[in-house]
């Protein structure tokens, strides 16, 4: 078995969470069976068991504070629409966790010590709702609005609920409302000032001790994400002067005396402990790379999920040991093989310096190159292990990942820059990095592949039409292909995001939707295109992809389409391998194998380099 397949098949575990009042009871996700599912782990006995077993996988389990119940969300084949189920920690039959609630998209869940549940949900017709479900009663609706909203947290004493909402109409910048259990408002925090300022807030969690009503809040008031404390009962705000560059995330230590700070800067991350009394800041020992999640334990140690581009993920403790080994998988594969380290590149772009991450195979360039574009768009690539890019490197391709404008981790202005000229701005940054890749001798200008999934798939199709001479091939997974149809078919929360990004609905700003839609430029596409699509995808629905494919068929343009029975991606390892294998085969058919020069197409067959 080649190393690239082993990286997918190697058993992997997610960061384990645990019950607040039973910290020996934990949950984690793993692909040990070949499908990502939820597992229970009794730390006191060491016993592990698989909780869920569904054809298309399950993620996102939650433990009740007393550790007695495991909650998990049941959708249909990845469509993200369904209901919450629950199962006893030590095993037993699943049962509906929220009887009386209709199926919906999940929008946050908070569980109280007394068995109370606060459930956020949304539907395409009903907007966003929050329900309170007390033991032995029926759910009571305490919040409803047509705009996006979700449950942030429930206070330690179970009397206050923090709701993130976008009632002001800016889906990129949330406000926070704290309400009582009957839905009555306690206080409101809105840095957008009624959508006149582009400043967002996020709920990080209520203080974990009795008698403390403070809420840990993420804010953007100084041009980046950083934490502060807000007491909704008194209105007092307490800034936290943590002078580290980049974005800061935070969580409470269990005794409430300190905060765990996750510091993200230039595609890497590290952990710090911040003492609330005195404000001292201490760096925790983490290797160079990316921390993809961290949780403080009751004993003061921190468990975290770490990886780098070269080294596969592992669950570590600041106490110095490995926390959890994956369950044994069916293929007899141990740890995933290493890959090559990532190199940093900074390129001058039209909106400022663009950060790109490069991995390259052995030997001298220029190499065929895959521009692997991240989704989101408000996300970013980092120095973290990824089986997909590593597979391309194994096949002789350089891989270039671009943190274009819209990406997180480079300040608020960079993230917010893509409004109204959606897609086109990101592609300007990608084009700047492309020029560097050619001029530096890294990339062969005749064998450049534009690729990505979700928003990256959207940018791939848009780039194939707006930059037709720049790319030899396009590989688009679960993309937006026809922006107007996608808007009408997608889940409600994404409609709100699109209205924010483009300044209105298609009927209000048709010229912006047209300018940002790949379908507008489909007749300009010159290079072969490969598209994969989930039949149950609520984010990039299938109908709008079929509209784009139909136009390619009418043109007789070379393309392939792979449709699979899942949602926005797959949790099945074999399916992920199959999709990548098909993409690599498509690339090698049209570009030749990098290690077989005789297979390469003649220069006349390559698209012209138009910059």
């Amino acid at each position: 078995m080649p190393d690239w397949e082993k990286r997918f098949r190697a058993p992997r575990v997610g960061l384990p969470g645990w019950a607040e009042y039973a910290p020996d009871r934990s949950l984690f996700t793993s692909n040990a069976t070949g499908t990502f599912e939820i597992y229970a782990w009794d730390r006191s006995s060491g016993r592990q068991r698989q909780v869920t077993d569904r054809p298309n996988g399950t993620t996102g389990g939650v433990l009740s504070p007393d550790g007695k119940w495991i909650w998990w969300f049941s959708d249909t084949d990845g469509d993200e629409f369904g209901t919450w189920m629950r199962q006893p920690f030590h095993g037993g039959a699943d049962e509906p966790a929220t009887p009386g609630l209709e199926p919906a998209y999940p929008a946050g869940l908070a569980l109280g010590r007394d068995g109370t549940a606060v459930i956020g949900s949304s539907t395409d017709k009903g907007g966003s709702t929050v329900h309170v479900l007390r033991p032995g009663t029926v759910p009571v609706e305490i919040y409803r609005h047509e705009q996006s909203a979700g449950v942030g947290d429930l206070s330690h004493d179970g009397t206050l609920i923090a709701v993130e909402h976008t009632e002001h109409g800016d889906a990129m910048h949330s406000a926070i409302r704290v309400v009582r259990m009957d839905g009555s408002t306690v206080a409101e925090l809105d840095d957008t000032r009624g959508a006149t300022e582009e400043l967002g807030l996020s709920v990080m969690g209520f203080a974990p001790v009795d008698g403390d009503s403070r809420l840990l809040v993420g804010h953007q008031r100084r041009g980046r994400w950083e934490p502060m404390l807000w007491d909704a009962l008194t209105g007092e705000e307490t800034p936290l002067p943590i002078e580290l560059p980049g974005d800061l995330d935070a969580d409470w230590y269990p005794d409430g005396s300190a905060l765990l700070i996750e510091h993200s800067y230039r595609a890497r991350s590290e952990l710090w402990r911040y003492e609330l009394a005195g404000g001292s800041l201490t760096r925790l020992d983490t290797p160079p790379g990316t921390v993809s999640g961290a949780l403080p334990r009751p004993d003061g140690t921190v468990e975290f999920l770490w990886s780098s581009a070269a080294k596969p993920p592992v669950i570590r403790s600041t106490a110095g040991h490995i926390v959890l080994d994956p369950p044994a998988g069916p293929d007899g594969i141990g740890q995933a093989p290493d890959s090559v380290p990532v190199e940093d590149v900074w390129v001058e772009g039209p909106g400022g310096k663009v950060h790109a991450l490069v991995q390259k195979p052995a030997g001298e360039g220029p190499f065929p190159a895959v521009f692997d574009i991240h989704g989101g768009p408000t996300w970013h690539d980092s120095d973290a292990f990824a089986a997909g890019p590593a597979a391309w490197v194994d096949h002789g391709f350089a891989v270039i990942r671009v943190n274009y404008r819209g990406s997180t981790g480079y300040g608020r202005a960079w993230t917010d820059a893509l409004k109204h000229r959606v897609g086109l701005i990101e592609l300007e940054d990608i084009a700047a990095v492309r020029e560097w890749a050619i001029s530096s001798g890294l990339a062969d200008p005749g064998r450049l592949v534009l690729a990505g999934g979700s928003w990256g798939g959207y940018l791939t199709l848009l780039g194939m039409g707006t930059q037709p001479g720049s790319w030899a091939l396009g590989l688009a997974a679960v993309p937006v292909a026809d922006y107007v149809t996608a808007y009408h078919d997608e889940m409600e929360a994404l409609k709100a995001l699109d209205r924010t990004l483009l300044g209105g609905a298609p009927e209000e700003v048709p010229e912006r939707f047209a300018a940002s839609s790949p379908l507008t430029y489909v007749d300009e596409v010159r290079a072969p295109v490969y598209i994969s699509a989930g039949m149950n995808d609520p984010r990039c629905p299938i109908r709008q992809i079929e509209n784009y494919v139909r136009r390619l068929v009418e043109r007789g343009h070379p393309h392939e389409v792979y449709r699979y029975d899942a949602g926005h991606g797959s949790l099945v390892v074999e399916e992920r391998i199959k999709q990548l294998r098909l993409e690599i085969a498509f690339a090698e058919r049209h570009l030749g194998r990098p290690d077989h020069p005789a297979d390469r197409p003649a220069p006349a067959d390559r698209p012209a380099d138009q910059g």
Side-chain angles (χ1 to χ4, degrees), residues 122-176:
S122 69
T123 62
D124 293 336
K125 296 181 180 179
S128 301
T129 58
V130 175
H131 288 81
V132 171
L133 176 59
R134 297 184 183 276
T137 67
V138 297
V140 176
E141 181 182 301
I142 64 165
Y143 177 91
R144 178 180 291 271
H145 200 277
E146 61 183 9
Q147 298 287 0
S148 298
V151 174
D153 197 19
L154 177 65
S155 65
H156 193 255
D157 63 5
T159 63
L160 302 174
I161 302 167
V163 177
E164 284 188 24
H165 72 82
T166 59
E167 294 176 7
H168 47 271
D170 181 350
M172 292 183 69
H173 302 95
S174 295
I176 297 175

Side-chain angles (χ1 to χ4, degrees), residues 569-608:
S570 177
L571 298 176
V572 179
V573 171
E574 195 63 47
E575 178 62 38
R576 292 183 176 185
I577 293 172
K578 178 181 180 181
Q579 291 180 27
L580 187 55
R581 185 183 289 118
L582 289 170
E583 289 184 352
I584 292 172
F586 187 81
E588 291 182 343
R589 264 197 313 278
H590 290 279
L591 303 181
R593 289 178 56 182
D595 55 346
H596 286 68
D599 291 344
R600 298 173 190 171
D605 295 333
R606 301 175 188 168

Side-chain angles (χ1 to χ4, degrees), residues 155-234:
S155 65
H156 193 255
D157 63 5
T159 63
L160 302 174
I161 302 167
V163 177
E164 284 188 24
H165 72 82
T166 59
E167 294 176 7
H168 47 271
D170 181 350
M172 292 183 69
H173 302 95
S174 295
I176 297 175
R177 180 174 302 147
V178 173
V179 302
R180 298 180 181 87
M181 299 298 282
D182 62 1
S184 59
T185 298
V186 174
E188 179 90 16
L189 198 60
D190 181 9
D191 279 8
T192 74
R193 303 183 188 278
T196 62
E197 303 258 359
E198 293 186 335
L199 293 172
L201 298 168
S202 66
V203 173
M204 294 177 169
F206 279 104
V209 293
D210 285 326
D212 192 341
S213 57
R214 292 176 300 172
L215 181 67
L216 188 59
V217 171
H219 68 92
Q220 298 178 299
R221 295 174 183 177
R222 299 200 300 168
R224 61 163 187 176
W225 282 107
E226 58 186 324
M228 70 175 187
L229 296 173
W230 175 49
D231 192 326
L233 296 181
T234 66

Side-chain angles (χ1 to χ4, degrees), residues 284-365:
L284 305 182
D285 185 18
T286 60
T290 296
V291 174
S292 300
L295 290 171
R297 290 285 292 170
D299 62 2
T301 62
V302 175
E303 296 178 353
F304 59 96
L305 175 59
W306 174 90
S307 72
S308 71
K311 296 293 183 179
V314 61
I315 311 294
R316 295 178 178 269
S317 169
T318 53
H321 60 271
I322 303 299
V323 173
L324 176 65
D325 290 320
D331 297 313
I333 300 171
Q335 180 173 292
D338 291 352
S339 185
V340 299
V342 72
E343 299 176 15
D344 295 87
V345 173
W346 293 86
V347 176
E348 200 64 53
K353 285 190 178 294
V354 184
H355 189 195
L357 304 173
V358 177
Q359 290 173 280
K360 56 187 179 182
E364 297 295 325

